[in-house]
Amino acid sequence: MGQHQELTERYRLLNESFSQKLVWRIGQQAGFFAEYSALLCAMIYCLDHRLQLQIYSADANFGTRKGWTDYFHPFCKEVSDAFHQKYNVGAAPAWCHLWKVAWQEHRPQLLWWKLHQLITGRKGRRMAHRCYGEKVLLSDSVKPDYSKTYTFPELGINGGFIDAFRAMATITWHLNEETQQDIDRLTAELHLQGKAYVGCQVRGGDKVTESALIGPEEIARWVTTLNEGQPVVVLTDDYRLFQDLQQRAPATQWLTLCTPDQRGYVNSSFTQTSAEEKREKMVRFMATMQLLMDCRLFVGSITTGPSVFLMKMKHPDIVAVDCPRHLLPDILFTDIARRAAVSETFQR
């Protein structure tokens, strides 16, 4: 058993030693790495409060058949009770934040959504008690504290939230055999084994609805300034953006697993694709992310889920093109509205 698998087994034993349970629903509506990051935060919260984490992923938006185990080995118990699909909702933003957004963006429906989430969450807690015969907490109970020092001696953890976050990623990022074989086949196409390389993300698609996108000109400028003549692996959802990078810096060896037919990721469309197409896109996406976890330096934006995840994992070997470096450790764990505001201010 490898070191990572041993850590996962120690986590499983510790997690199952807690009597009170919390069921975390993953794959509700956000992109995969926003959902995955939220899961890791929930794991830390549960360890800190001595709660046994279980997950529900039967209807996960990234799943094709089972949910989590379509791609990964299990790391904790998984439940399949159908009420989670309707009643296990995540915590909505605070009232003060929603009032501000509703006023500024003329979206009063946000306040009704918040009220609906509160009512649904209350129903969910009653349903959970009825289903399990005991008090079981759900996703809306998780409220991470990013300022604490976390000490879990059974797992060798003694540090800040980012240290615990990275440990949770080590515990959970174990691809199943089928997925790992597919990823190995894809990454072999780039011929990077044993080489040092740089990574970056250029995002298109539906992200523009949440924040202003960072264009390829900005990414190319930073990458070519910082690069040392090494290949650059590009995570993108739009092949035209990859071509743009090639044209802006033809002397740089740009590499990607994005296919020429990709024209921007839209989460609502992705969740409606066939199981085969969804799996093919997810595996290609995960293959690039696995490469970027091992890159020498990563360049990205604080407004995109994959970039933010990689910055949490690789700090300080990162460059955020839209955030002052000294703000990064704190800003990475804030919500998209706060990160988008910092990004837009920095770009002015």
Side-chain angles (χ1 to χ4, degrees), residues 271-289:
T271 58
Q272 300 301 315
T273 58
S274 67
E276 294 77 12
E277 184 179 356
K278 183 184 291 187
R279 177 176 176 78
E280 194 277 332
K281 289 182 177 179
M282 276 294 296
V283 169
R284 192 170 287 273
F285 175 42
M286 288 179 172
T288 305
M289 288 297 291

Side-chain angles (χ1 to χ4, degrees), residues 28-273:
Q28 293 193 58
Q29 56 187 357
F32 177 77
F33 275 93
E35 294 277 353
Y36 180 51
S37 294
L39 167 65
L40 303 185
C41 293
M43 292 172 67
I44 297 169
Y45 178 87
C46 287
L47 286 172
D48 191 42
H49 291 80
R50 300 184 65 82
L51 299 169
Q52 181 184 151
L53 176 78
Q54 299 181 353
I55 64 170
Y56 173 82
S57 68
D59 66 334
N61 55 9
F62 56 81
T64 58
R65 293 172 298 168
K66 301 175 183 178
W68 178 260
T69 54
D70 288 333
Y71 309 98
F72 298 95
H73 286 293
F75 65 95
C76 70
K77 291 183 178 179
E78 183 160 1
V79 300
S80 57
D81 305 289
F83 84 87
H84 289 288
Q85 183 174 4
K86 184 175 181 180
Y87 294 105
N88 192 348
V89 295
W95 279 111
C96 58
H97 172 73
L98 285 180
W99 274 108
K100 181 179 179 181
V101 175
W103 175 264
Q104 292 177 340
E105 301 183 9
H106 307 290
R107 297 167 63 192
Q109 66 271 24
L110 287 174
L111 305 178
W112 289 109
W113 170 76
K114 167 78 170 181
L115 183 61
H116 178 266
Q117 291 291 93
L118 292 174
I119 294 172
T120 303
R122 182 172 295 181
K123 288 181 180 178
R125 289 188 287 276
R126 290 202 301 269
M127 294 285 291
H129 192 282
R130 192 178 307 160
C131 180
Y132 297 109
E134 59 181 330
K135 181 181 179 181
V136 172
L137 302 178
L138 303 178
S139 300
D140 60 355
S141 295
V142 173
K143 297 174 177 62
D145 184 344
Y146 304 114
S147 63
K148 288 180 61 174
T149 294
Y150 290 91
T151 302
F152 307 126
E154 301 90 342
L155 305 176
I157 297 171
N158 183 22
F161 195 89
I162 197 167
D163 300 299
F165 182 91
R166 290 170 176 172
M168 297 306 107
T170 300
I171 288 166
T172 55
W173 189 267
H174 295 300
L175 299 162
N176 61 35
E177 287 76 12
E178 180 184 4
T179 304
Q180 189 63 63
Q181 288 173 6
D182 289 339
I183 285 178
D184 290 343
R185 174 180 51 81
L186 285 169
T187 56
E189 297 174 3
L190 302 184
H191 305 289
L192 285 170
Q193 189 171 8
K195 295 181 181 179
Y197 54 93
V198 173
C200 67
Q201 181 184 14
V202 187
R203 176 71 201 269
D206 61 358
K207 198 65 186 178
V208 71
T209 63
E210 294 180 339
S211 62
L213 292 172
I214 303 299
E217 65 281 358
E218 191 69 6
I219 297 294
R221 182 174 70 84
W222 278 93
V223 168
T224 53
T225 299
L226 297 167
N227 197 9
E228 300 171 355
Q230 296 163 336
V232 181
V233 176
V234 181
L235 171 64
T236 186
D237 53 4
D238 191 327
Y239 194 78
R240 294 168 297 184
L241 297 176
F242 174 71
Q243 292 175 309
D244 192 307
L245 290 172
Q246 290 179 307
Q247 293 169 2
R248 290 178 184 277
T252 299
Q253 183 186 8
W254 302 96
L255 302 170
T256 190
L257 292 176
C258 180
T259 56
D261 62 307
Q262 289 184 254
R263 292 292 185 267
Y265 173 85
V266 178
N267 191 55
S268 58
S269 299
F270 170 76
T271 58
Q272 300 301 315
T273 58

